[in-house]
Amino acid sequence: MRNQKGFTLIELMIVIAIIGILAAIALPAYQDYTVRARVTEGLSLASGLKATISENAANVNATALATGLCAGTNQTEAGHVATLTCTSGAITVVMDTTAASAQITLTPTLAADTPVEWLCSSSTDHAYVPAECRN
């Protein structure tokens, strides 16, 4: 009896089919992951504004959204962020098309003598936004 050396054609076809199935599942998941990472970049950029708004609210002991809360915020765009705006203390981040044009709104909850809490909301597909912004 001769010993078989190497792989048979059917074994190679099975391996190629398995690789094809894995690639078909992994590529869409990877694309969602990269978009989600770009959207997270927008939240990181907004965190600087959150600190300034929280400080402004503490200085005036604000209990409601007001135009003065945005004083001193740097609303410059960077990376995949198309626009970053602050209106009466609420921060709106709009991403560019490479980040699915996601729009995230961060709204402060203000109460006297308590830390500012932030509510994150988005109308964008939930696959592209962080868990705390899925409402």
Side-chain angles (χ1 to χ4, degrees):
M1 202 177 220
R2 284 194 321 179
N3 288 339
Q4 179 182 356
K5 294 184 179 180
F7 299 105
T8 64
L9 180 61
I10 192 72
E11 290 171 333
L12 290 175
M13 289 174 57
I14 290 171
V15 169
I16 290 172
I18 291 171
I19 291 172
I21 292 169
L22 291 175
I25 294 169
L27 284 177
Y30 177 73
Q31 290 170 338
D32 286 352
Y33 171 77
T34 56
V35 170
R36 197 174 317 121
R38 291 175 182 148
V39 172
T40 303
E41 176 186 346
L43 285 178
S44 296
L45 194 59
S47 66
L49 275 70
K50 287 170 55 175
T52 303
I53 293 167
S54 297
E55 184 177 338
N56 289 343
N59 287 340
V60 297
N61 204 15
T63 58
L65 297 179
T67 56
L69 295 177
C70 293
T73 58
N74 183 6
Q75 301 175 36
T76 58
E77 295 79 31
H80 298 284
V81 177
T83 60
L84 177 67
T85 58
C86 180
T87 307
S88 298
I91 303 167
T92 303
V93 181
V94 179
M95 306 303 295
D96 64 9
T97 55
T98 62
S101 299
Q103 180 173 340
I104 296 173
T105 304
L106 299 163
T107 308
T109 303
L110 304 170
D113 299 324
T114 61
V116 176
E117 293 184 18
W118 291 90
L119 173 67
C120 182
S121 61
S122 176
S123 58
T124 307
D125 184 2
H126 292 312
Y128 300 134
V129 295
E132 67 267 15
C133 296
R134 298 175 188 163
N135 53 3

